[in-house]
Amino acid sequence: MSAFTPEAPPSADEARAALVALRREVAKAVVGQDETVTGLVVALLCRGHVLMEGVPGVAKTLLVRTLSAALSLDHKRVQFTPDLMPGDVTGSLVYDQHTAKFEFLKGPVFTNLLLADEINRTPPKTQASLLEAMEERQVTVEGSPVALPDPFMVAATQNPVEYEGTYPLPEAQLDRFLLKVTVPLPERAAEVEMLGRHAAGFDPGDLAAAGVVPVAGAAELRTAREAVQRVRIAPEVLGYIVDLCRATRHSPSLQLGASPRGATALLRTSRAWAWLSGRDYVIPDDVKALAKGTLRHRIALRPEAELEGATTDGILDGVLASVPVPR
């Protein structure tokens, strides 16, 4: 596929074809992470944010860089550390001696794709500085709002196994993430292919040399978002979403079930997945496909269930198996 031309407004079908092509384009640099790419695209279609969880070295940073290159969008990366201040993320006022006035110096949050690396390594005050940006898509400076670019998405990462020196994300901030995507270790064949690419001279810092080209952009995203809003959903499927979320609230293994915001999020992600799949209506399988990614960070295990080895994904598998599917 040739590089897109932003001057030509794309049709809905052209936008879908371009976004589906992202998988192939990202695969030129990142091997075996199709599900993670899908989650990021779904979040972009829903104007949402993604929390990526995976051990170091599974190409989370490279994935976001490659996605931004394939979408022709600006991206910035912030390494979250214990001494990071809110102004280091959102920006700060700087005194200009020439004008004798304070000027706002924009922080890295003013971008299209913000990679918040190891977000759980910074104190809650700095974590909270992202809340307004994620929810309101603006930063308040001296009482006045400054709008962020559109599109805007936060892709945050955290390490699932290292807890020393970390600050767990509060429930209020976890709920701001549309999806929580687990980035797995690659299968053996994918890892062999990855090493083969490095042996042949692949340089993660030079995506152009790997053949990554823009296949979509802001125009395609705008068209796609409008099309997703037109995806129909039957009352029976709406009821199915509600029943799934209500079932998590009554699970004996959970101390916190999915809230109505979680149900709304599942509606949004299901519509985006249905549209990407080529349909203008949602089916129960769309809901099932996105249920774990949308809800796993919105529920909390009871301590005794955690000691017995239960996991949020396992609980959600049980909920999906127990709630009747509409026909």
Side-chain angles (χ1 to χ4, degrees):
M1 179 179 291
S2 60
F4 72 101
T5 54
E7 294 81 7
S11 68
D13 288 340
E14 289 170 338
R16 177 163 43 226
L19 292 175
V20 169
L22 277 176
R23 281 188 176 187
R24 183 173 63 250
E25 209 59 32
V26 172
K28 292 179 180 178
V30 182
V31 182
Q33 296 293 357
D34 281 355
E35 285 191 21
T36 309
V37 175
T38 298
L40 291 168
V41 174
V42 165
L44 279 167
L45 291 177
C46 298
R47 293 171 62 86
H49 310 283
V50 179
L51 179 62
M52 298 188 295
E53 186 173 85
V55 298
V58 290
K60 298 186 292 293
T61 302
L62 178 61
L63 184 61
V64 174
R65 286 182 50 241
T66 308
L67 183 69
S68 68
L71 282 170
S72 192
L73 296 177
D74 184 35
H75 85 281
K76 290 186 173 68
R77 174 181 176 272
V78 177
Q79 179 66 51
F80 279 69
T81 56
D83 60 349
L84 194 74
M85 299 297 291
D88 297 329
V89 178
T90 59
S92 56
L93 290 171
V94 178
Y95 184 72
D96 189 333
Q97 292 183 342
H98 297 289
T99 62
K101 294 181 179 179
F102 283 95
E103 301 289 339
F104 179 61
L105 185 64
K106 292 181 177 180
V109 75
F110 286 88
T111 187
N112 297 125
L113 299 181
L114 176 67
L115 177 60
D117 221 350
E118 295 189 288
I119 191 173
N120 58 334
R121 286 202 170 278
T122 202
K125 183 177 181 180
T126 305
Q127 291 175 2
S129 69
L130 273 179
L131 276 177
E132 181 188 18
M134 292 169 66
E135 190 71 13
E136 306 296 335
R137 298 178 182 274
Q138 67 181 31
V139 171
T140 301
V141 181
E142 295 287 287
S144 300
V146 180
L148 294 172
D150 185 39
F152 170 70
M153 182 178 77
V154 174
T157 73
Q158 66 178 15
N159 185 336
V161 295
E162 191 174 354
Y163 297 106
E164 186 176 348
T166 62
Y167 303 83
L169 292 171
E171 298 299 330
Q173 184 155 345
L174 278 173
D175 209 31
R176 295 305 194 276
F177 288 99
L178 181 70
L179 292 165
K180 180 181 177 182
V181 178
T182 55
V183 186
L185 290 166
E187 299 289 338
R188 183 181 185 277
E191 196 164 0
V192 169
E193 181 183 347
M194 179 189 68
L195 289 183
R197 292 184 182 187
H198 281 269
F202 170 69
D203 179 6
D206 190 357
L207 296 176
V212 178
V213 297
V215 294
E220 279 77 6
L221 281 175
R222 282 193 295 270
T223 298
R225 286 171 173 175
E226 292 170 1
V228 167
Q229 290 300 312
R230 297 192 294 270
V231 172
R232 294 174 286 115
I233 182 162
E236 295 81 8
V237 181
L238 286 174
Y240 180 54
I241 292 174
V242 170
D243 290 342
L244 286 174
C245 292
R246 291 180 68 85
T248 65
R249 299 170 203 164
H250 297 111
S251 170
S253 298
L254 297 178
Q255 62 178 345
L256 177 68
S259 68
R261 180 184 285 169
T264 303
L266 186 51
L267 164 64
R268 293 163 61 200
T269 57
S270 299
R271 292 174 89 178
W273 178 243
W275 183 80
L276 281 172
S277 301
R279 282 178 278 100
D280 63 353
Y281 57 92
V282 178
I283 61 175
D285 282 349
D286 299 324
V287 179
K288 288 182 176 181
L290 273 298
K292 287 199 284 189
T294 308
L295 300 179
R296 61 165 59 104
H297 57 300
R298 304 174 193 271
I299 62 177
L301 290 167
R302 293 187 183 278
E304 56 269 26
E306 200 165 0
L307 287 172
E308 292 171 0
T311 63
T312 53
D313 279 11
I315 299 299
L316 288 172
D317 282 332
V319 167
L320 288 166
S322 64
V323 174
V325 179
R327 303 203 178 269

